Amino acid sequence: MKTITSVQEIRTVIAQARRQGKRIGLVPTMGNLHQGHMSLIQKACEYADFVVASIFVNPLQFGINEDLDSYPRTLEQDQEKLRAAGCSLLFHPNVEEMYPTGMQEQTLVHVPSVSAGLCGAKRPGHFDGVATVVSKLFNIVQPDIAVFGEKDFQQLAVIRKLVADMNLPIQVFGAPIVRAEDGLALSSRNQYLTTEQRASAPALHNALVQLVDSILHGETDFTKLIETTNKALSNVGFKPDYLEIRDELTLEPATTNTKQGVVLAAAYLGSTRLIDNLTYHLN
Ligand code: PAF
């Protein structure tokens, strides 16, 4: 598996693969790869025969007080994992390659509606940064398919809308959340947790399971459900950031008539912000 750092070279290599009739898949990542990322590569391998992974810690999607500088960078281990998973090519550009005129001068892509609220409200500019870098990666690689994790549920909705609104000929696949045995959703940020925080962390998933269970058993008072769940999270040391029940497809606030819903949460353990979500379907 070759690692390429320049836009020009990756275009040449992908053009060759395309001439050989290969179907191109893209899995954009920020590196520090874990089993969750590997499941994205596996899914891409199911639908494409030339799978490109990108590793780029995108400064444009980090807020000023966020963890850009400390975000774990583990290139060699990542290359090893990608090779073992059957990835064909790694694109690993630096910031100058992606933003040659500087970030202030970069044209931004804004995806309305689905970018607002939830993480969009808590991390201003975050989804513009994501939509911009993903648009650039789509234009550089021109994949037939692309795979993103359902753990970043709102991000996946943003990308699906971006692709639809801009008529991009790319099929977007979501891959299910991969969890540790105790239920914690895998995330590069889990490694920031202390031993004690790691022990409390599965409570976030458990809280969502209980909340969804209540809805499936007929509870219709969403305000009460959210209050109770936030209290339960606070009791085990979380500082809830948001907890919302939304329509799975539109991300509009759910009502008792919503048949396909999703509960989305972000909560801090110390200074580490964890996110998780759980969908539910009513008959
Ligand atoms: O989910 C991520 O790792 C990032 O937001 C992405 C999609 C690679 C864009 O930088």
Side-chain angles (χ1 to χ4, degrees), residues 72-143:
R73 285 149 171 100
T74 51
L75 181 63
E76 276 176 30
Q77 291 97 305
D78 292 348
Q79 284 168 317
E80 211 40 63
K81 289 176 187 167
L82 290 171
R83 201 169 287 128
C87 183
S88 314
L89 188 67
L90 170 61
F91 182 47
H92 179 52
N94 63 19
V95 174
E96 290 70 36
E97 188 69 12
M98 287 302 276
Y99 302 117
T101 55
M103 287 194 293
Q104 295 300 324
E105 282 302 309
Q106 171 63 46
T107 300
L108 294 181
V109 178
H110 174 70
V111 180
S113 309
V114 287
S115 292
L118 304 167
C119 285
K122 302 293 177 174
R123 304 181 67 189
H126 170 68
F127 286 120
D128 290 357
V130 170
T132 302
V133 80
V134 170
S135 300
K136 286 174 75 84
L137 291 168
F138 281 170
N139 286 323
I140 294 165
V141 175
Q142 301 189 351

Side-chain angles (χ1 to χ4, degrees), residues 191-251:
Q191 63 192 262
Y192 298 152
L193 299 171
T194 63
T195 311
E196 202 185 324
Q197 289 166 344
R198 176 63 190 81
S200 311
L204 182 58
H205 174 58
N206 295 340
L208 298 189
V209 171
Q210 277 187 21
L211 195 160
V212 162
D213 198 51
S214 303
I215 296 176
L216 294 176
H217 282 89
E219 179 58 68
T220 51
D221 187 343
F222 289 178
T223 310
K224 188 180 93 187
L225 271 179
I226 285 174
E227 253 177 49
T228 316
T229 309
N230 273 333
K231 243 182 230 151
L233 285 171
S234 300
N235 286 344
V236 291
F238 275 97
K239 188 168 153 280
D241 193 21
Y242 67 73
L243 174 66
E244 296 197 34
I245 309 172
R246 298 280 182 120
D247 183 291
E248 183 186 357
L249 302 176
T250 62
L251 279 191

Side-chain angles (χ1 to χ4, degrees), residues 140-212:
I140 294 165
V141 175
Q142 301 189 351
D144 298 288
I145 67 125
V147 186
F148 296 85
E150 287 171 359
K151 171 162 176 289
D152 295 296
F153 199 89
Q154 188 178 14
Q155 169 173 281
L156 181 57
V158 167
I159 290 160
R160 286 193 195 285
K161 182 165 163 60
L162 165 76
V163 165
D165 288 356
M166 301 309 285
N167 304 95
L168 300 177
I170 300 170
Q171 211 179 342
V172 173
F173 291 94
I177 299 177
V178 178
R179 298 184 180 279
E181 263 178 35
D182 58 11
L184 177 66
L186 298 193
S187 163
S188 301
R189 289 188 169 109
N190 291 350
Q191 63 192 262
Y192 298 152
L193 299 171
T194 63
T195 311
E196 202 185 324
Q197 289 166 344
R198 176 63 190 81
S200 311
L204 182 58
H205 174 58
N206 295 340
L208 298 189
V209 171
Q210 277 187 21
L211 195 160
V212 162

Side-chain angles (χ1 to χ4, degrees), residues 40-56:
L40 308 184
I41 301 285
Q42 273 158 18
K43 184 136 198 156
C45 288
E46 281 172 39
Y47 294 94
D49 36 28
F50 190 89
V51 172
V52 181
S54 64
I55 294 181
F56 178 60

